[in-house]
Amino acid sequence: MQMNTPPRSTIRLTRRGRVALMVTGAVVAATAVAVPLLTLGGPEAEPPRSLVIPEGWRARQVYEAVDKVLQVPPGTTKKSLGKANLKLPNDAEGNPEGYLFPATYPIDKKATPESLLSFMVDTANQRFNKAPVAAGAQRNAMNVYQAVTIASIVQAEAATKADMGKVARVIFNRLERGMPLQMDSTINYALNRNTVNTSQNDTRLNSPYNSYQRMGLPPTPIANPGEDAMHAATNPPPGDWLYFVTVKPGDTRFTASYEEHQRNVVEFNLNRRSASPTGTSTGTPATGTPTTGTPATGAPAATPTR
């Protein structure tokens, strides 16, 4: 089904409240796709080490992990971008965010920041340019880079794999209706943080990643999505949902009714307040509330979105 997705230059997205568990070690235990050895040494080569890039990591986290596993000075990997000759789409304008594919990368002593980054991007191109993703993007009237951008938001917003498709459908429905995405994940990306607490002041942030004020998708992906998120972004289920909020762990509610969403937000705030040591709720369940909405009762300076 063709989607009237706004052109990339006018597309910016919305965020859903979910805190990603972030592991800062270079070698991380996470579900990932194994890829071949980056470099092969001779008989005397030291045993390869594995670098795991979890789904949903941002480029900054990947750079830091590569620096650590290769034992190079902090900032070395990021500085190597200019000479890595990465095969990125033109829309990326040299920014590999979204294309540092989550996988397990065995490496040996011959690995370099440039070779690792190139291998990650090549792996992403192999996965993203195949028929399922490319055809899914075309079917939804978008290019692959836009699909990766949507998938990155889905990865950040969905609490479970089962929710990914519905989150993607909310994004498409909002884009079709000319609604701002209003996703906290995009604001978190701009502020380089992860939180479920988004204040009214946050939503006034002057940034192209502020999907409360800017229409359409953000200018780049906001993380490196995995295959499940890519599948959701290119094959979202049918539905009329425009709002969602995780009322409590394991209970994410999707609805097309703003009034029903507001009731869900009130319940979210009650749950947060009862769980808070001070008995107050200061955050917002972000995603899916029009900018004309008012903060939920009991949530001062909070935006009633997902």
Side-chain angles (χ1 to χ4, degrees):
M1 179 180 69
Q2 290 286 313
M3 310 291 293
N4 297 323
T5 307
R8 178 183 171 277
S9 60
T10 61
I11 307 184
R12 308 266 189 270
L13 303 176
T14 318
R15 136 111 178 131
R16 163 200 181 292
R18 115 157 158 40
V19 177
L21 182 61
M22 302 174 60
V23 187
T24 56
V27 180
V28 203
T31 301
V33 181
V35 293
L37 283 175
L38 178 66
T39 58
L40 297 175
E44 298 180 357
E46 66 182 32
R49 295 160 291 170
S50 293
L51 171 64
V52 178
I53 305 302
E55 296 174 350
W57 261 19
R58 297 169 183 163
R60 174 188 56 81
Q61 295 171 279
V62 176
Y63 303 152
E64 292 173 354
V66 172
D67 285 346
K68 187 170 291 187
V69 77
L70 295 183
Q71 299 179 358
V72 296
T76 298
T77 300
K78 184 175 182 180
K79 292 177 182 177
S80 72
L81 286 173
K83 52 186 179 180
N85 194 26
L86 303 178
K87 298 176 182 178
L88 296 165
N90 291 335
D91 285 348
E93 298 181 351
N95 183 348
E97 190 73 85
Y99 278 75
L100 301 175
F101 193 78
T104 299
Y105 293 93
I107 56 177
D108 69 13
K109 64 182 181 181
K110 293 185 179 180
T112 64
E114 295 87 346
S115 62
L116 265 176
L117 293 176
S118 293
F119 200 33
M120 292 177 192
V121 172
D122 290 347
T123 302
N125 283 323
Q126 291 171 10
R127 304 301 174 95
F128 297 162
N129 293 329
K130 287 184 178 178
V133 172
Q138 185 177 25
R139 185 168 57 250
N140 288 291
M142 59 184 175
N143 60 34
V144 171
Y145 192 71
Q146 289 172 325
V148 174
T149 301
I150 291 175
S152 73
I153 297 174
V154 169
Q155 187 78 63
E157 293 286 341
T160 66
K161 176 181 175 181
D163 288 341
M164 285 184 171
K166 289 184 176 181
V167 172
R169 176 52 66 192
V170 169
I171 293 171
F172 278 110
N173 287 346
R174 281 178 164 259
L175 291 175
E176 277 194 321
R177 289 161 177 74
M179 298 171 66
L181 292 180
Q182 296 180 304
M183 302 238 168
D184 291 353
S185 54
T186 63
I187 291 179
N188 281 343
Y189 183 78
L191 295 174
N192 191 27
R193 70 182 189 187
N194 282 282
T195 181
V196 295
N197 298 329
T198 299
S199 68
Q200 289 284 8
N201 188 57
D202 290 338
T203 65
R204 292 190 286 268
L205 178 71
N206 182 18
S207 168
Y209 292 91
N210 184 354
S211 59
Y212 281 81
Q213 293 188 345
R214 312 269 178 145
M215 299 298 294
L217 297 174
T220 71
I222 61 170
N224 293 284
E227 291 185 312
D228 289 336
M230 285 299 300
H231 177 78
T234 53
N235 296 278
D240 61 354
W241 311 294
L242 291 171
Y243 314 95
F244 65 98
V245 56
T246 298
V247 174
K248 59 184 177 181
D251 184 7
T252 299
R253 300 178 190 177
F254 295 81
T255 181
S257 166
Y258 179 65
E259 290 74 20
E260 181 179 353
H261 177 66
Q262 284 296 89
R263 291 193 293 271
N264 291 336
V265 167
V266 169
E267 187 172 344
F268 165 88
N269 284 320
L270 289 173
N271 290 337
R272 288 290 299 277
R273 196 156 51 237
S274 63
S276 171
T278 60
T280 59
S281 173
T282 58
T284 80
T287 60
T289 300
T291 52
T292 54
T294 56
T297 302
T303 49
T305 41
R306 156 189 156 164

